[in-house]
């Protein structure tokens, strides 16, 4: 698989795209929207791609009607559809790192940023609506904690760096993302 960065005329390693990974409630979609506005790069959301492909059905209904394995297949297809694209801000679903092939694809896309937050903060944010089918359990908090425990090593193995979003505005997080990208892939985003 082609490595993420590609050298520019001055030999700098620039990232083709910015990819946000991390758990539900970390702020991936909101921060991606802001990054897209600031950079002028097109925003893509893997959950949105799957929803559109499935006729606009909410994710919870896709899970209920077709099951999680079906959703994961479509999520991988969403990621695959982005190969060879550049200047994208990609927001992903929290479980996209579960498949090893997805983790490779994420890295191949560009700079991968792990948005994370404290457990209490994540739980408070995800409790604002019922959109997350994996949390439709008897004890959603325990489920969230278990997902975080199981997935943290996967996010870590995939990301170039992490940003804790716990007590920051979307703009503050977006700024940190751009600063981090500039350190690792200088000249990627010129704004
Ligand atoms: C999921 C996270 C959701 C969505 C689906 C499964 C997960 O996306 O893809 O409900 O496995 O963590 P967000 O991370 O945007 O909530």
């Amino acid at each position: 698989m082609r490595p993420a960065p590609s050298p520019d005329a001055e030999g700098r390693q620039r990232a083709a795209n910015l990819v946000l990974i991390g758990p539900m409630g970390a702020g991936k979609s909101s921060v991606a929207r802001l990054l897209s506005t600031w950079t002028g790069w097109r925003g893509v959301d893997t959950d949105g791609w799957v929803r559109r492909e499935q006729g606009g059905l909410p994710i919870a209904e896709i899970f209920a009607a077709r099951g999680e394995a079906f959703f994961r297949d479509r999520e991988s297809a969403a990621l695959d559809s982005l190969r060879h694209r550049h200047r994208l801000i990609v927001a992903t679903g929290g479980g996209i790192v579960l498949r090893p092939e997805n983790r490779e694809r994420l890295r191949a896309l560009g700079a991968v940023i792990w948005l994370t937050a404290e457990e209490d903060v994540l739980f408070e944010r995800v409790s604002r609506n019922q959109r997350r089918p994996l949390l439709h359990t008897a004890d959603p908090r325990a489920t969230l904690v278990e997902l975080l425990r199981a997935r943290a090593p996967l996010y870590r193995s995939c990301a170039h760096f992490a940003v804790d979003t716990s007590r920051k505005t979307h703009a503050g997080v977006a700024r940190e993302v751009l600063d981090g990208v500039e350190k690792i892939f200088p000249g990627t985003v010129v704004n």
Side-chain angles (χ1 to χ4, degrees), residues 22-26 28-29 45-47 59-60 63 68 71-72 75 92-96 98 126 131-134 147 151 155:
M24 307 179 236
K28 295 165 295 195
S29 303
D45 185 308
T46 57
D47 276 359
I59 299 292
F63 268 67
E68 181 173 350
F71 173 78
R72 297 293 173 210
E75 185 177 52
T92 58
I96 203 152
L98 290 170
V126 297
R131 273 185 237 135
R132 271 84 173 205
L134 291 182
L147 288 176
R151 293 173 177 182
Y155 295 131

Side-chain angles (χ1 to χ4, degrees), residues 5-185:
S6 54
D8 68 4
E10 288 130 51
R12 291 179 303 194
Q13 298 288 296
R14 293 164 50 159
N17 305 283
L18 306 190
V19 185
L20 304 184
I21 62 168
M24 307 179 236
K28 295 165 295 195
S29 303
S30 306
V31 171
R33 272 194 294 276
L34 197 52
L35 285 169
S36 176
T37 305
W38 284 1
T39 59
W41 289 17
R42 184 184 294 272
V44 180
D45 185 308
T46 57
D47 276 359
W49 188 98
V50 174
R51 285 195 58 183
R52 259 192 315 284
E53 188 204 43
Q54 298 300 311
L57 275 188
I59 299 292
E61 285 185 32
I62 298 171
F63 268 67
R66 310 293 302 267
E68 181 173 350
F70 174 83
F71 173 78
R72 297 293 173 210
D73 284 343
R74 302 325 300 150
E75 185 177 52
S76 296
L79 198 52
D80 214 24
S81 77
L82 304 179
R83 270 195 299 177
H84 313 303
R85 302 276 304 274
H86 63 283
R87 292 166 68 85
L88 297 179
I89 308 288
V90 185
T92 58
I96 203 152
V97 292
L98 290 170
R99 292 189 172 175
E101 66 270 27
N102 286 358
R103 299 200 291 276
E104 270 186 40
R105 285 175 192 163
L106 290 164
R107 286 288 289 211
L109 274 178
V112 182
I113 301 100
W114 174 18
L115 298 192
T116 180
E118 290 158 16
E119 227 170 81
D120 285 348
V121 174
L122 291 174
F123 189 65
E124 192 274 319
R125 290 180 189 161
V126 297
S127 301
R128 290 176 196 160
N129 63 60
Q130 289 295 311
R131 273 185 237 135
R132 271 84 173 205
L134 291 182
L135 299 180
H136 298 170
T137 63
D139 187 348
R141 189 178 174 116
T143 306
L144 179 67
V145 169
E146 175 50 25
L147 288 176
L148 294 173
R149 192 200 57 73
R151 293 173 177 182
L154 305 179
Y155 295 131
R156 189 171 296 113
S157 74
C158 197
H160 289 98
F161 65 97
V163 177
D164 188 315
T165 71
S166 298
R167 265 165 293 280
K168 292 171 193 154
T169 59
H170 295 323
V173 174
R175 193 72 262 160
E176 272 190 48
V177 168
L178 291 181
D179 289 348
V181 169
E182 181 57 26
K183 279 199 197 106
I184 302 178
F185 303 109

